Amino acid sequence: AGVLRWTWRLTYMSAIGLLGWTAYGIYLNRNPVEQPEPDPSKKTLVVLGTGWGSVSLLKKLDTENYNVVVISPRNYFLFTPLLPSCTTGTIEHRSIMEPIRNFLRHKGAAVKFYEAEATKIDYEKKVIYINDDSEIKGAVSQTEVPFDMLVVGVGAENATFGIPGVKEHGCFLKEVNDAQRIRKRIMDCCETATFKDQSPEEVKRLLHMVVVGGGPTGVEFAGELQDFFENDLKKWIPEIASNFRVTLVEALPSVLPMFSKNLIDYTEQTFKEETIEIRNKTMVKNVTEQYIEAEYTNAAGEKVLERIPYGLLVWATGNAVRPVVRDLMGQIPAQKDSRRGLAVNEYLVVKGTENVWAVGDCAVANYAPTAQVAAQEGAFLARLFNQMAKTEEFETELATLSEKQGTAPNKDSRDEVFAQIKDVQKRLRRVKQMGPFEYSHQGSLAYIGSEKAVADISWLTGNLATGGQLTYFFWRSAYLSMCFSTRNRVLVFMDWMKSYIFGRDVSRE
Ligand code: FAD
Ligand code: NAI
């Protein structure tokens, strides 16, 4: 009984301790302390973008060492892995956004943030031209920012491969407003399909949800959409039940090509059970307002162009290089053979430059364009920049000590300074020993609908490929733990509970 009582007391005290610690964390977060102003006498480090790569860099960067300027058209960080869940209202978009201002206010020294798009980087002049593209414009909405060091972390734009009609009629899934647009469109299609006197063909078209691209974005969205239909739409709008269809169109022979073969099979089998149609080896060639034209090879080996009518078209065919990056590549001869983005060396320095680094989807370093890679690259650069600042500090100290040694009045003080020099030299050597960037792959995870997920996880000695409901709980806990802040974690958890208890909201706005 005594042991039990003590166990109970210890648990009770730990719970109170944990609560107190969380409350204190929230208090500190809500009450930032005074920050020293940016020091313009220090080197100006400009960071472009507030995505995975740039924010991961800013998280670990000692901002007291540089005059840091951040430029991005988005004044928040977006946790993209949960974006597909926002298209159906399983999660509200603000739950996966973290304002960059809140985050920067907690850095050691203040950081300047400009909400703007970098329209051009002039490498020779070391200047970035920026443009305020937001709705409200001040008297000045275009200007330039000089830099000594530059980190390009602008991500990528949506690939369309020049296919006509995609930009005009398709919905992408990269940003918050894309998810909002899709959510609105799903409901619009459902309500329009139930409009009085709608013809049966038109009802079929409106309720045909087509997803192009069988990568993880397309697969996760298709799974979320089918869940929405099964759990909510069918219940509240029963008249759409027999016509609502989700089709996934993929040019390659299978979806999720980056996953293990058994997980690809598992995903395709699960989609079949969920009644999501997969059209592999089908390449979309043209998009109009009401149908797509897709090419496939029939049983006789002939190429057939099929018209597929749709109500909603989600286009998820991967990444393309942003114009500002392409322009920079054009200024640097060493980049002339690079096609998919800025070629970087093993220290993430943009090849052909000395003071420009690139992270994430806009950098080409032989890794897949994922959040995981971008985050690790950002963290690596923060360590590199912190070390570089320390190196400079030690070198200045060494110069001062050498001078001091030369003017020392006697042997004893000379020996003392000599010992100090040895110590600084040792520290300098340690700091200079930083190895190149090495990516450590933790695995790939994707949600495939009906509370199932697939995971290819790097395990102690090899790879673990698993799919199903247990993996789904792992997927949820992994992404919950990876959310940017405690606030995000709490909000996402509450959203999950909310949709579980009340169902998803089917209002159109
Ligand atoms: P981003 O995160 O895209 O950030 C780019 C930043 O640059 C943004 O802040 C943008 O506003 C800003 N920017 C754009 N243009 C300019 C400009 N001209 N000037 C200044 N700033 C600019 N990866 C995973 O590893 N796991 C997942 O589960 C996963 N899920 C995903 C789900 C979806 C729906 C999507 C779309 C992607 C997913 N990814 C996932 C991929 C991952 O999101 C990207 O690889 C990652 O965001 C790349 O980080 P980044 O910093 O390079 O770019
Ligand atoms: P992707 O590049 O992975 O897949 C795009 C797919 O579209 C390809 O399979 C391609 O064959 C297909 N395609 C291209 N053109 C086509 C056409 N005209 N017709 C039919 N199909 C066509 O793109 P995605 O899914 O947007 O992912 C981008 C990056 O983000 C990837 O690196 C991915 O790994 C990462 N990501 C990771 C996630 C995860 O780990 N859960 C989730 C979402 C994205």
Side-chain angles (χ1 to χ4, degrees), residues 5-17:
R5 205 169 37 245
W6 270 107
T7 314
W8 166 241
R9 271 186 200 158
L10 266 177
T11 318
Y12 183 69
M13 276 155 61
S14 319
I16 292 195

Side-chain angles (χ1 to χ4, degrees), residues 118 167 177-178 195 211 220 227 296 320 326 363 366 444 498:
K167 281 194 179 138
N177 55 357
D178 296 330
F195 192 74
V211 185
E220 291 195 327
D227 281 0
Y296 69 95
R326 206 174 314 117
N366 287 334
S444 307
K498 205 171 69 184

Side-chain angles (χ1 to χ4, degrees), residues 127-153:
V127 159
I128 299 153
Y129 297 90
I130 65 169
N131 188 10
D132 173 6
D133 228 3
S134 63
E135 247 171 68
I136 311 270
K137 302 252 188 312
V140 178
S141 62
Q142 287 181 348
T143 185
E144 48 186 75
V145 179
F147 67 86
D148 298 305
M149 297 157 74
L150 170 68
V151 177
V152 188

Side-chain angles (χ1 to χ4, degrees), residues 23-235:
Y24 182 61
I26 293 172
Y27 171 82
L28 284 184
N29 205 37
R30 292 203 59 190
N31 296 281
V33 292
E34 283 295 308
Q35 283 174 307
E37 278 300 300
D39 183 351
S41 70
K42 296 200 164 145
K43 277 189 181 162
T44 299
L45 167 63
V46 175
V47 179
L48 298 183
T50 46
W52 277 95
S54 303
V55 167
S56 161
L57 154 70
L58 290 163
K59 239 182 188 175
K60 295 218 160 74
L61 181 74
D62 190 345
T63 54
E64 279 159 62
N65 295 329
Y66 299 97
N67 172 35
V68 185
V69 179
V70 179
I71 298 165
S72 176
R74 209 169 77 183
N75 77 345
Y76 56 87
F77 167 78
L78 177 67
F79 188 77
T80 46
L82 291 177
L83 191 61
S85 304
C86 298
T87 58
T88 57
T90 312
I91 290 175
E92 294 298 335
H93 59 272
R94 283 196 179 264
S95 305
I96 57 166
M97 291 159 63
E98 184 68 18
I100 201 75
R101 296 277 186 186
N102 296 16
F103 159 68
L104 292 179
R105 263 303 267 121
H106 291 284
K107 294 301 297 177
V111 170
K112 271 259 162 278
F113 173 74
Y114 300 124
E115 193 192 66
E117 188 188 343
T119 48
K120 185 176 171 69
I121 299 162
D122 191 323
Y123 174 61
E124 282 301 319
K125 284 195 194 156
K126 291 199 197 168
V127 159
I128 299 153
Y129 297 90
I130 65 169
N131 188 10
D132 173 6
D133 228 3
S134 63
E135 247 171 68
I136 311 270
K137 302 252 188 312
V140 178
S141 62
Q142 287 181 348
T143 185
E144 48 186 75
V145 179
F147 67 86
D148 298 305
M149 297 157 74
L150 170 68
V151 177
V152 188
V154 298
E157 60 178 29
N158 296 291
T160 64
F161 306 103
I163 295 170
V166 176
K167 281 194 179 138
E168 296 79 354
H169 309 298
C171 296
F172 298 114
L173 182 49
K174 204 170 204 30
E175 299 290 343
V176 162
N177 55 357
D178 296 330
Q180 285 174 299
R181 187 167 171 228
I182 293 174
R183 188 173 174 184
K184 207 167 169 176
R185 237 191 128 128
I186 297 169
M187 289 324 302
D188 204 355
C189 284
C190 294
E191 296 300 351
T192 309
T194 54
F195 192 74
K196 189 168 176 291
D197 300 333
Q198 204 69 270
S199 73
E201 293 79 58
E202 191 61 351
V203 170
K204 272 205 174 77
R205 179 185 74 79
L206 287 163
L207 294 176
H208 190 200
M209 312 282 145
V210 175
V211 185
V212 181
T217 306
V219 165
E220 291 195 327
F221 170 68
E224 291 278 355
L225 182 54
Q226 188 67 25
D227 281 0
F228 186 28
F229 170 66
E230 288 295 339
N231 303 336
D232 304 281
L233 289 173
K234 205 156 92 172
K235 235 184 261 173

